[in-house]
Amino acid sequence: MDSTERLDGRALIYIAIALLTWSSAYAAIAYALASFTPGQVALARLAIGSLCFALLIAVRRSPLPQRRDWLRLAILGVIGLTTYHLCLNYAETRIASGTAAILIALVPAATTTLSAVWIGERISGRRMLGLAVALLGVVMVVLASGRQVTFQPMAALVLVSVVASAIFFVGQKPFFVRNDMIGVTAFGFFAGTLGAMPFGIGLPHALVVAPWSHIAALIWLGVAPTFVGYLTWNAALRRASASQVSSFIYFSPPIAVLIGWVWLGERPGWLTLVGGVITVGGVALANARRKNAPAAAVPMTPVVAKSGCES
């Protein structure tokens, strides 16, 4: 990891905002799917996000990425946004929510592995152990919260989403060095929106006949989890390593349980709380800093006392 990259307080704030918005996405997607197809939901949220980024670029006058980076960023946008959202949306219509939550929790491990192979990030044994412990905690939270878990062939779509997300997170990072972060993020969204257009056929008609509550869910998806979530996530990714930032995705299921407790009065059981504590401990272990090795002792040169009378 670059010596200038630190998981500082600002990065943690960005991560917290991203996770809070992303945690609301799964319920909003399920709600919107009552009136829209998975392709229409993906196109709508990406298009709304792209519009928000276009407005942000206009206001801030942020530059687009260098032309030499356009093709690779476009490919990353189609993989990490179009593919990810299409597969996740279709999966939500076929598999249990608990299954999806557990499989999506593989994103940190996939990102960490890809970071080491692709951009040469150093991954310590302590970090790998912390990720494994956090994953165990996530599984406990999901199972104890009563969400159904049944593994079936359609679950492979979620695994495609996991790989696509890891490629997107890791692949973007080198472009932040020579480009504006907002420009890089926006360009990926523009490409992702274009990639989703063939799958969102019929969206205008669906918007006309859909109830306002379902349209509001689409707007929320486009503004909060998509625009705000990805913007703050990439802001954190620019400040710290991809493996460090992605490890916090393990907090999504515990956050969802906490939201259900505060908002819906769904009191978690003791096993859920234990799983949450294990998750927090695993993430803390994965991001613990190694103590600096003690400086090597400098050998002292013996000083030979000179005689007061020299011959």
Side-chain angles (χ1 to χ4, degrees), residues 76-287:
L76 285 173
V78 172
I79 292 174
L81 295 172
T82 307
T83 303
Y84 173 84
H85 290 296
L86 284 173
C87 289
L88 187 60
N89 292 351
Y90 277 105
E92 282 216 21
T93 66
R94 300 288 196 279
I95 67 174
S97 61
T99 307
I102 290 177
L103 293 178
I104 284 294
L106 295 174
V107 168
T111 302
T112 298
T113 303
L114 198 59
S115 297
V117 174
W118 191 350
I119 60 177
E121 284 188 4
R122 290 184 177 181
I123 310 299
S124 66
R126 177 185 296 178
R127 179 164 300 170
M128 295 302 297
L129 176 60
L131 293 176
V133 171
L135 179 59
L136 173 62
V138 167
V139 173
M140 289 180 63
V141 168
V142 172
L143 294 179
S145 62
R147 298 164 72 179
Q148 186 180 6
V149 178
T150 55
F151 293 97
Q152 49 192 290
M154 288 299 291
L157 286 176
V158 183
L159 294 179
V160 173
S161 293
V162 168
V163 175
S165 182
I167 292 173
F168 186 61
F169 292 157
V170 178
Q172 284 185 112
K173 189 164 177 59
F175 295 103
F176 294 150
V177 176
R178 58 178 180 266
N179 294 288
D180 179 75
M181 183 274 294
I182 294 176
V184 169
T185 309
F187 194 90
F189 267 86
F190 299 155
T193 302
L194 291 175
M197 281 186 173
F199 303 92
I201 296 174
L203 178 60
H205 175 70
L207 287 170
V208 171
V209 300
W212 276 107
S213 58
H214 294 174
I215 295 175
L218 283 183
I219 295 174
W220 172 263
L221 277 171
V223 175
T226 306
F227 171 62
V228 176
Y230 278 93
L231 180 63
T232 51
W233 186 260
N234 278 359
L237 195 60
R238 187 172 65 91
R239 301 179 70 87
S241 71
S243 58
Q244 278 186 307
V245 175
S246 66
S247 68
F248 286 86
I249 292 177
Y250 284 129
F251 283 155
S252 289
I255 289 175
V257 171
L258 183 60
I259 291 174
W261 187 4
V262 174
W263 191 359
L264 304 176
E266 298 174 345
R267 189 180 183 88
W270 67 268
L271 191 58
T272 303
L273 296 177
V274 170
V277 171
I278 292 175
T279 302
V280 172
V283 174
L285 178 62
N287 291 287

